[in-house]
């Protein structure tokens, strides 16, 4: 599988599609999910062209991985959901029902999120 440069998150990174940005560092961008599943629902994406967690974990360099996971933690802190709790998740491939083929982590919080898998 090759990276689709026309996926929606690639367009957001290029500034072709608007997003509600909440955080950015050298290697990562975070913005609000367009269809929030919780009061706080933020997506964190690497700036590099990685298809999924599988691709990112295997091929990103150390700087990219460090900056990405620092961004995830900062987003949760900035959203004020550390004390009440939150969930991070990333869907990969068919069984994970990944829809957008650019690696992203969902940060969800602001309510009791219920059981881990429906
Ligand atoms: P996935 O199923 O791939 O893990 O999740 C993709 C997520 O991207 C969904 O939660 C969906 O609401 C979100 N999404 C899809 N298109 C857009 C968009 O154009 N802007 C934003 N902010 N989120 C989007």
């Amino acid at each position: 599988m090759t990276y689709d440069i026309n996926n929606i998150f690639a367009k957001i990174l290029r500034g072709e599609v608007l997003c509600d940005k909440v955080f950015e560092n050298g290697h990562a961008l975070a913005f609000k999910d367009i269809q929030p599943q919780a009061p706080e629902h933020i997506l964190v994406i690497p700036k590099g062209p990685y298809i999924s967690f599988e691709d990112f974990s295997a091929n990103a360099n150390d700087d990219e991985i460090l900056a990405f996971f620092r961004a995830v933690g900062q987003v949760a802190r900035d959203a004020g959901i550390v004390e009440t709790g939150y969930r991070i998740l990333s869907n990969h491939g068919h069984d994970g029902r990944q829809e957008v083929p650019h690696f992203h982590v969902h940060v969800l919080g602001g309510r009791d999120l219920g059981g881990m898998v429906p």
Side-chain angles (χ1 to χ4, degrees):
M1 190 173 178
T2 55
Y3 181 80
D4 172 12
I5 61 165
N6 289 316
N7 78 75
I8 192 74
F9 293 170
K11 290 180 178 176
I12 286 174
L13 283 167
R14 289 196 296 269
E16 296 167 9
V17 170
L18 294 178
C19 72
D20 189 354
K21 181 171 84 171
V22 297
F23 182 83
E24 183 173 16
N25 67 22
H27 293 290
L29 176 70
F31 50 90
K32 298 200 173 189
D33 195 292
I34 204 166
Q35 286 189 294
Q37 305 296 310
E40 296 292 341
H41 187 172
I42 297 159
L43 301 170
V44 188
I45 69 173
K47 292 184 176 178
Y50 300 104
I51 299 169
S52 72
F53 183 70
E54 163 56 22
D55 187 14
F56 186 72
S57 62
N59 298 313
N61 67 38
D62 291 358
D63 287 347
E64 290 173 309
I65 292 172
L66 181 69
F68 181 81
F69 282 100
R70 292 281 194 217
V72 173
Q74 191 61 50
V75 158
R77 270 175 238 118
D78 291 348
I81 53 176
V82 172
E83 292 303 319
T84 47
Y86 63 92
R87 179 173 295 156
I88 63 173
L89 69 86
S90 184
N91 297 315
H92 165 75
H94 177 271
D95 284 358
R97 298 216 185 179
Q98 181 180 2
E99 290 174 7
V100 178
H102 181 111
F103 171 49
H104 51 282
V105 160
H106 298 254
V107 180
L108 297 145
R111 67 168 170 82
D112 183 341
L113 296 165
M116 190 165 66
V117 178

